């Protein structure tokens, strides 16, 4: 019985350590929404989802972040917010896609530093744009070209 309790405690501790912070997970989810809107070449939805990202990042409760999450998040908060704000303030799809490059690089830096999802996060690369993006799936759906070159790119890394 004692060994069962110890095993359960270890399992729960391991699961807790691997759980993603809900505030930060929401940011990844909203980033995916922006990416998916760009894949669909929908500047209006991209702007709206980027605006939701700005609101979400500004409402992250710092008290819910671990020391490591806080250390990783704080240097990126203003950069991510500025990227998303630029996308939300534009109705020009090309301008949104250009700003999405730095948005993707900054969210990648956060995803590498802290766990944003219990699911794998795929980093993909577009050789035509020489730019990266993150996706919730390994299938290539290029946000930089949308339907024009939907499957241009490849998976570079899987973050687990």
């Amino acid at each position: 019985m004692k060994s069962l309790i110890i095993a359960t405690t270890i399992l729960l501790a391991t699961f807790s350590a691997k759980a993603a912070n809900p505030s930060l997970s929401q940011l990844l989810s909203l980033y995916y929404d922006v990416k998916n809107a760009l894949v669909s070449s929908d500047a209006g939805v991209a702007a709206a989802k980027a605006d939701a990202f700005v609101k979400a990042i500004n409402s992250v409760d710092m008290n819910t972040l671990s020391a490591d999450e806080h250390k990783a998040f704080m240097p990126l908060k203003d950069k991510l917010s500025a990227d998303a704000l630029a996308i939300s303030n534009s109705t020009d799809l090309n301008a949104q896609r250009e700003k999405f490059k730095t948005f993707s690089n900054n969210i990648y830096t956060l995803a590498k530093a802290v766990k944003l999802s219990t699911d794998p996060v795929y980093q993909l690369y577009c050789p035509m744009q020489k730019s990266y993006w993150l996706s919730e799936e390994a299938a290539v759906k290029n946000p930089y070209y949308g339907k024009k070159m939907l499957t241009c790119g490849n998976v570079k890394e899987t973050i687990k």
Side-chain angles (χ1 to χ4, degrees):
M1 180 69 168
K2 187 175 181 181
S3 61
L4 179 62
I5 293 171
I6 292 171
T8 303
T9 303
I10 291 170
L11 182 63
L12 289 174
T14 302
F15 179 74
S16 297
K18 292 182 180 179
N21 181 300
S23 295
L24 299 181
S25 292
Q26 180 186 19
L27 297 179
L28 181 63
S29 179
L30 289 166
Y31 165 87
Y32 287 157
D33 290 344
V34 173
K35 182 258 309 172
N36 291 333
L38 294 175
V39 167
S40 299
S41 299
D42 192 328
V45 171
K49 295 301 184 176
D51 184 57
F53 184 97
V54 172
K55 289 175 182 164
I57 201 166
N58 289 327
S59 68
V60 170
D61 182 355
M62 298 301 166
N63 295 322
T64 66
L65 303 181
S66 70
D68 288 341
E69 289 169 336
H70 191 270
K71 183 179 176 183
F73 177 69
M74 288 312 294
L76 294 167
K77 180 182 179 193
D78 289 343
K79 292 176 184 179
L80 286 164
S81 184
D83 293 336
L85 189 60
I87 294 169
S88 74
N89 286 336
S90 178
T91 56
D92 180 319
L93 194 56
N94 291 328
Q96 289 176 327
R97 286 177 167 151
E98 190 61 34
K99 188 42 101 174
F100 187 70
K101 293 175 183 180
T102 56
F103 190 34
S104 295
N105 291 339
N106 288 323
I107 198 84
Y108 169 79
T109 301
L110 185 61
K112 285 294 286 183
V114 299
K115 190 159 192 71
L116 297 181
S117 175
T118 55
D119 296 324
V121 176
Y122 300 95
Q123 183 194 43
L124 293 99
Y125 179 72
C126 173
M128 300 293 290
Q129 286 290 318
K130 296 180 177 45
S131 298
Y132 296 87
W133 75 94
L134 300 184
S135 181
E136 62 274 50
E137 59 186 356
V140 177
K141 294 181 183 170
N142 191 317
Y144 298 111
Y145 288 104
K147 294 172 187 148
K148 290 180 186 175
M149 296 177 73
L150 186 63
T151 60
C152 177
N154 58 317
V155 174
K156 286 294 186 180
E157 183 178 354
T158 302
I159 304 167
K160 294 182 181 182

